Each structure stands twice: as structure tokens, then as C-alpha cells.
Amino acid sequence: MTQQFEKVRALTGMKDILPHESAAWETLEAIVRDWLASYGYRNMRTPVLEQTRLFARGIGEVTDIVEKEMYSFRDALNDEQLTMRPEFTAGMVRATIEHNLLYDRPQRVYCMGPVFRHERPQRGRYRQFHQIDVEALGFAGPDVDAELIIMLARLWKRLGLQDIRLELNSLGQQEERAAHRQALVEHLEKHIDVLDEEAKRRMYTNPLRVLDTKNPAMQDMANQAPRLFDFLGPESLAHFEGVCARLKDAGIEYTLNPRLVRGLDYYNLTVFEWVTDRLGAQGTVCGGGRYDGLLELLGGKPAPAVGFAIGMERLLDLWQQSEAEIKASECDIYVIHQGDEAQRRAALLAETLRDEGYRVLVHAGSTGFKSQFKRADASGASVALIIGPDELAAGHASVKWLRQQEGDTRAQQEMLAFDAIAATLKTRM
Ligand code: HAM
């Protein structure tokens, strides 16, 4: 009797990216790297695991992320409380401080990779997802806020995205937020009867987040709440106007959304989101803003900073709506053979073709010519080389073009001597 083993499945909300999907990911990543390089951004890579207190302090204790979405555990081996990064910013700032990256100049840096949040999965919302995170560290002026937004508009254009719009707000400075907060708490106290349990719980710890509610019964109360924007002093307003003027210079449209507060506590002054209606409920493709207090909060010398993160799954979803299927072939040349000796000749020939830079697949497994041709076709190769007993005896391979289009004058099939194949293909492919 054979034993039946139980299948092991991937975790809920954590998706495999399969070979037929990876071409789109790799193409997007290549475009993104070029785009970032064109603005002078350099890659950095931080660990997936960090100390829990980095995120608790950085993102804020009273945020959804820290309160209920982090994958945290105790590492019993050295008795440390650890968390799988729920975002990049805190880790990048930690690394910047730890390695003293700002000692002689500001830094433009980016990270790309998986982050983890224990949310309820749905389209565009996963527990392991990917971000492109871009940070400009050590820059204080509105010019850099604007540059980041203008840079994003360029990426959307490069990808041919449609229906993506910019929402902008200013969260001012701490003192301005404190004055607003007091007015807001008073407003919430006056409307205590419409507040739900979560709002009541948060009204003194994080009243701004109460306004972010989706609860329809609280919308009127939220709409009438005092607006932070009205509490901004002249300097904060000047910074905001500086950003807006530069966006106007670049012809970028935006809407001022005074309710935009973002889900992380480190922001001040400029905050923004790029949103679309094409992705269902999870329409925010990118979010970011200024966080001038975070370096100091995480133990570094005070330094201003601004950045954003793009959700890659959402960006790909949107991109694939405008782009025909992004497909990549497995190889350029597929080598078909029959018999042991022909297989060995094929393997040698493939090595010489790889020397010339071709991507080559040699058929493996003993199957007939017909099914080998089928495989060759499915691989997306543009040419098949065939080595059977006759070819082997003559020192030739048959060359068959698999993707001839109308008007193509190349013979569909021809014979070429083994040692002439690489040079001949070069002139024909
Ligand atoms: P965030 O708004 O939390 O910001 O996330 C940025 C983007 O990640 C979102 O706009 C969305 O596209 C994507 N995203 C968030 N959660 C999920 C999820 N569960 N599944 C799929 N995609 C998701 C930050 O993370 C900040 N660190 C951004 C930043 C960088 N601010 C300054 N610098």
C-alpha cells in the first residue's frame, strides 16, 4: 500500500508568482530601475526582519499596521521581539542612521521587494505584497516633494497608464497639528453619539484617523470636522504652495483632499496619493509624503526627508489593463534531436550558441519529433534546430524558422553545417 501525503498549501494572502507571470514582473522591474536611475536614485536592500520597536516607534503605536497587521514573533534563541517589515521606510531610515549615510551629503535611495501585513485579503490587498519604495533623505525644500511627484507622473506615462489621479494635502507641523487636534477632539466630543466603538477608542489617541472612517453613519460628522488645513501657519502654507507651483509648471493636475491623512504617523507637511477607479476597492496605487521628524525619532541627527511607496501588484494590475499581455519567450533557439549521439551533438552545439549570446533549450526526455516540435513552438523560440540520424551523418542541422510572418524571405527550412550555424543565425535572426 502506498502512503498518501497531505498537500501543503501557500498561506492565505501570499501568492506564488508563476513562470508565466514573471515576464510582466521582470519587465516592470527593469523599467522601474531605468526610471529611478534617470533621477539619480540608487538601490539599497534592507533586511526583511527588524526589531518590532523600530516599526512601533516609526509607524506609530496607534495605527492599524502596528495595532493589528504586523507579523511579529519572539525569537526565543536570543529573546528578541521581531517583526517582518510591513513597509520599507522605517528600515531604510534605520540603515541611514546606523551607517551615517547623511554625514556629507543627502541621499536619494530606493528599495524594491516584499512587505508583510496581516490584512483581510481581496483583489489588490495581500498579506505578502511588493513595494517600490523611494526616499529622498536630507532634503528640506518643496522642490524635492514636487520632483518625486513629477517623477511618478513620468512613470505612469512610460507605462501608458490611464485614469490615475493625484490627491494632495498638507499635514503641517507638530504645533499646528496639536492646535487642530484640540479642536478636533472637542468636535468629536460634541458628536459622541454618532461615533462607533473604534472611533471612541481612538478619539484621544489618534483623532485624525477617526476622520478616515468608512462608516456611513459618521460621514456627516467627519465632513463638518475642523480641517487641519485651516490651522496651517505661513511657513507650512508657503511649503505647500511651493509644491503646487512646481506641479503646475510641470502640467500635473491634482485635487486638494483635506481628508487625506495617510495610515502612518510619521508624516508632516506634504502628503499625497495616486488613486484610480480601475482597481475596485483598493484603488491607491502609490502613497507618500514628507517625514521630517522620523530620523530624530529613530535616534538619528534631525534631518528632513520625503518619499513614497508604490504597490507593485496594484501597479501591474493597472498596467496590464492598458498593455496587451506581456509575454516573454523561454528561449531563442530550441534544439530537437533523435538518438543518443544526436543528443550529445545537440548539447555541444547549444554550448557554442550560448557563447554567442543566444538563449538555447535542448530538448530533454525521449519523445518523438512531433511532440518535440510542439514543445519548440510552445517555448516561444524563433528557430528550431533539428539533428536526426541523417543530419548527424552529414554534419548538418536542419534549421526551421518557427515564427515567419508574411513577406519573410528566409527559407522556412534549410540545412546548415554545424560549424556555420552560429554565424549564419547571426545574419538571419
Ligand atoms: P502605504 O500607503 O502604507 O505607505 O503603502 C504604499 C502602497 O502599498 C499603497 O498605496 C498600496 O498601493 C500598497 N499596499 C499597501 N497595503 C497593501 C496590501 N495589503 N496589498 C497590496 N498592496 C498594498 C507606505 O508603506 C509608506 N512607507 C510609503 C512612504 C514611503 N512614505 C514615505 N516614504
Side-chain angles (χ1 to χ4, degrees), residues 128-144:
Q128 173 171 337
F129 60 101
H130 298 75
Q131 285 188 340
I132 301 156
D133 185 296
V134 178
E135 309 292 356
L137 300 149
F139 299 94
D143 51 337
V144 178

Side-chain angles (χ1 to χ4, degrees), residues 87 89 117 119 124-126 129 131 133 135 262 264 266-267 284-289 291 307-309 311 314:
E87 60 128 30
T89 312
R117 295 183 193 175
E119 295 193 78
R125 190 160 77 192
Y126 310 100
F129 60 101
Q131 285 188 340
D133 185 296
E135 309 292 356
R262 310 268 308 124
L264 307 94
Y266 45 62
Y267 293 108
T284 308
V285 177
C286 170
Y291 52 94
F308 61 76
R314 294 182 194 177

Side-chain angles (χ1 to χ4, degrees), residues 211-232:
L211 302 186
D212 221 16
T213 178
K214 300 240 155 39
N215 183 349
M218 288 168 53
Q219 292 307 314
D220 280 348
M221 179 282 301
N223 286 333
Q224 290 155 12
R227 301 189 331 169
L228 172 55
F229 207 83
D230 298 326
F231 288 73
L232 299 188

